[in-house]
Amino acid sequence: MIGNQIGLVPSILSADFTRLGEQVREAEAAGAQRIQIDVMDGHFVPNITMGPLVVEAVRRCTKLPLEAHLMITNPQDYIETFAQAGADVIIVHYEVSPHLHRNIQKIKAAGKQVGVALNPSTPVFMLQDLISLIDLVLIMTINPGFGGQELIPETLPKITQARQLVTQRGLSCDIEVDGGINAATIPQVVRAGANLLVAGSAVYNEKETVAQAMNRLREAIVPARS
Ligand code: DX5
């Protein structure tokens, strides 16, 4: 966690893939803190998206930290692949990591930051024994698989629970949220304790430029912190 700054993390899932490099650079120019790349295998989630080739391509477009959000059933088999592709943070889902400690060791051995994602139905306390080994907890505020969904309000208390868990232990672990994040929902998630905000359709849409969208999201952060 960088001081108590709140960071915006555009998810390229909603970007225009015919000009992906440009869209990533627009986000960087507009002050993105990182870029999230949503990797889906059509098994863990009902959608198929992108793999290491896209991580490599985005790596060539920006110096920003890249998060590889692995929504795949066998993350243990692809950790090195995404590390070599240029990801800085590798996020595995708790629900498909029966050997989570081993996955954490693999990510650390690859010299990368460890992220663990929790689906809406997975309680935060499942991480209490390994939290000191984790750099980022990703609270899914939607059921993963698609952009443009509404935030599930029942996930808000989990953000606070995760924030309390890391604060009580004196850890500098990031609390990231993903799904339905926009100018209307940002005040709730920031007040609940999130410091990294993943946004897809709120950043990449036809209504406004990336710069306008990012400014609007940033404006929603300020009052949430006062
Ligand atoms: C969905 C992905 C999200 C998605 C968010 O499973 O993990 O990152 O892109 O999209 P929005 O911000 O539109 O809900």
Side-chain angles (χ1 to χ4, degrees):
M1 186 161 157
I2 303 170
N4 56 3
Q5 197 188 358
I6 306 288
L8 291 171
V9 183
S11 152
I12 62 168
L13 187 64
S14 299
D16 175 354
F17 272 64
T18 66
R19 53 191 192 91
L20 183 58
E22 217 179 294
Q23 295 258 267
V24 168
R25 283 186 286 272
E26 286 167 357
E28 181 168 4
Q33 185 148 328
R34 303 172 172 189
I35 299 287
Q36 188 177 91
I37 298 164
D38 292 309
V39 178
M40 302 181 190
D41 65 355
H43 291 280
F44 178 59
V45 290
N47 195 2
I48 297 174
T49 58
M50 51 201 117
L53 279 182
V54 173
V55 175
E56 275 170 27
V58 174
R59 182 72 289 163
R60 291 197 295 274
C61 301
T62 179
K63 294 218 171 351
L64 285 176
L66 301 183
E67 298 184 346
H69 177 191
L70 304 186
M71 288 163 273
I72 62 177
T73 50
N74 52 348
Q76 67 280 358
D77 299 337
Y78 289 93
I79 288 169
E80 280 94 13
T81 306
F82 283 98
Q84 278 149 27
D88 301 286
V89 185
I90 296 179
I91 304 172
V92 297
H93 265 263
Y94 176 87
E95 299 81 11
V96 282
S97 297
H99 305 293
L100 180 59
H101 185 271
R102 191 178 287 147
N103 281 350
I104 291 171
Q105 297 311 88
K106 264 193 171 180
I107 297 169
K108 286 181 184 291
K112 304 298 178 178
Q113 288 209 336
V114 175
V116 179
L118 301 176
N119 278 347
S121 57
T122 306
V124 168
F125 67 73
M126 301 307 276
L127 296 182
Q128 65 190 12
D129 300 321
L130 297 182
I131 191 71
S132 60
L133 304 174
I134 297 170
D135 301 296
L136 176 147
V137 174
L138 176 55
I139 304 287
M140 292 304 302
T141 43
I142 55 157
N143 291 306
F146 303 94
Q149 299 180 71
E150 292 247 335
L151 180 140
I152 300 170
E154 288 76 12
T155 63
L156 292 170
K158 293 175 64 179
I159 304 168
T160 307
Q161 290 157 14
R163 176 55 62 202
Q164 285 166 348
L165 180 60
V166 297
T167 305
Q168 281 157 7
R169 306 277 180 93
L171 302 169
S172 63
C173 177
D174 287 309
I175 306 299
E176 185 171 62
V177 289
D178 182 8
I181 302 302
N182 53 43
T185 58
I186 280 178
Q188 298 162 293
V189 296
V190 168
R191 287 199 186 102
N195 70 288
L196 288 175
L197 315 176
V198 177
S201 52
V203 171
Y204 296 113
N205 60 65
E206 268 127 39
K207 290 196 294 302
E208 58 203 338
T209 66
V210 170
Q212 289 164 336
M214 292 281 283
N215 281 340
R216 221 152 52 72
L217 297 179
R218 231 187 321 275
E219 279 158 17
I221 293 172
V222 178
R225 310 203 54 222
S226 50

